[in-house]
Amino acid sequence: MTQRTALVTGGTGGIGSAIVRYLAGQGHKVATNYRDQAKAEAWQKVMAADGIDVCIVPGDVSDPAASESMIRAVEEKCGPVDILINNAGITRDSTFHKMSYQQWMDVVNTNLNACFNVTRPVIDGMRARKWGRIVQISSINGQKGQYGQANYAAAKAGMHGFSISLAQENAKFGITVNTVSPGYVGTDMVMAVPEEVREKIVAQIPVGRLGRPDEIAHAVAFFTGDQASWITGANLAINGGHYMGW
Ligand code: CAA
């Protein structure tokens, strides 16, 4: 397999860490961004102890200028980005009638506008090199909606609209653009949902349990391979059967 440089935004998080491990395990050079340096350095040490060398750079993906600097820093340390995983995401759950403008904007900026902020500085290089893999980490809740997540569901649905447009524009440049839509995975984000609410959600999952981060990472890595060169504009649901839309 060709060794490439991969950037996984939000790589220190639950699903992000699993994606970093998977791509590094395939021999790629992997980078991620951080906002909290001390936390990121501690995480980097844990990865290093497992034999995974990750390049970390500062960068807030909700900010266009910071994202541009982040990409230039990754390129300097690890080379041009061939694989981009737009994974960074946050929740600010609230029923809509109580939702503040800030809760709306925080989620839209970090989950959706980040796709512009981070992808825009890498797309010209991918087009020039005639190879690229871009994967958006969306969510089951962008597909089915979720009580208390008008902001998050809107942003996550928007990520797939972004994927399918970019897929069309860049197909002839050897660039594929796909979306993975995880269901409820046992990460800090999902464990922050009140227990009684979470139990009701798990009861709706036919497989009968939360997902594991590696079950998402496996599929993300599949999309980044050379063998996946004819898959573009797809949205792969990985949710234990929780939502089976077409
Ligand atoms: N369907 C119908 N009614 C629901 C409901 C649902 N799914 N969830 C809550 N309600 C009802 C409650 O029963 C309650 O009804 P009553 O007033 O009649 O008793 C009412 O809504 C509560 O509404 P409030 O506006 O007072 O809500 P709240 O302040 O108590 O909190 C909430 C509501 C924030 C949405 C909370 O229920 C919650 O955290 N829900 C989980 C949301 C969720 O799934 N988040 C996913 C986070 S993880 C993630 O996003 C990762 C991923 O991609 C999957």
Side-chain angles (χ1 to χ4, degrees):
M1 175 172 304
T2 314
Q3 188 195 49
R4 302 189 185 273
T5 295
L7 170 62
V8 181
T9 67
T12 61
I15 291 178
S17 292
I19 299 171
V20 166
R21 283 177 186 278
Y22 219 103
L23 294 178
Q26 292 186 321
H28 298 303
K29 274 192 255 176
V30 186
T32 191
N33 65 304
Y34 63 81
R35 282 178 304 164
D36 179 337
Q37 186 169 356
K39 196 178 144 202
E41 284 173 357
W43 172 87
Q44 192 183 31
K45 281 194 188 125
V46 171
M47 300 301 265
D50 289 344
I52 297 166
D53 183 24
V54 194
C55 163
I56 59 171
V57 296
D60 176 350
V61 297
S62 70
D63 180 293
S67 299
E68 169 102 40
S69 316
M70 169 186 94
I71 296 296
R72 300 306 160 224
V74 171
E75 287 173 342
E76 223 164 83
K77 285 189 175 186
C78 310
V81 175
D82 283 330
I83 298 172
L84 170 62
I85 315 297
N86 280 314
N87 164 75
I90 59 167
T91 53
R92 295 288 182 268
D93 293 354
S94 164
T95 42
F96 183 68
H97 65 278
K98 293 182 190 169
M99 189 178 287
S100 66
Y101 181 68
Q102 199 59 48
Q103 286 174 311
W104 174 268
M105 287 309 289
D106 285 351
V107 168
V108 171
N109 279 331
T110 301
N111 297 12
L112 179 59
N113 289 341
C115 291
F116 174 86
N117 298 339
V118 178
T119 311
R120 186 65 188 83
V122 304
I123 197 75
D124 288 343
M126 287 182 179
R127 286 166 69 100
R129 293 187 301 278
K130 298 233 174 320
W131 200 93
R133 295 286 184 268
I134 302 173
V135 181
Q136 271 59 251
I137 307 301
S138 178
S139 165
I140 183 176
N141 293 341
Q143 299 179 292
K144 71 165 189 57
Q146 171 62 31
Y147 202 103
Q149 286 201 308
N151 50 1
Y152 186 85
K156 291 294 187 181
M159 289 173 82
H160 188 54
F162 172 75
S163 285
I164 55 186
S165 301
L166 228 61
Q168 291 177 31
E169 292 178 14
N170 293 287
K172 62 176 179 282
F173 296 95
I175 301 168
T176 68
V177 190
N178 292 290
T179 303
V180 168
S181 291
Y184 285 76
V185 176
T187 59
D188 290 348
M189 183 186 272
V190 167
M191 298 318 275
V193 172
E195 194 177 349
E196 66 283 6
V197 177
R198 206 174 57 242
E199 278 170 6
K200 284 187 194 146
I201 291 170
V202 174
Q204 295 163 14
I205 304 175
V207 171
R209 62 169 173 84
L210 295 173
R212 295 192 314 267
D214 64 282
E215 291 173 314
I216 308 303
H218 174 72
V220 173
F222 168 71
F223 278 125
T224 66
D226 278 317
Q227 313 89 317
S229 51
W230 213 51
I231 307 175
T232 196
N235 184 7
L236 181 63
I238 311 174
N239 59 35
H242 193 172
Y243 179 72
M244 300 184 184
W246 286 43

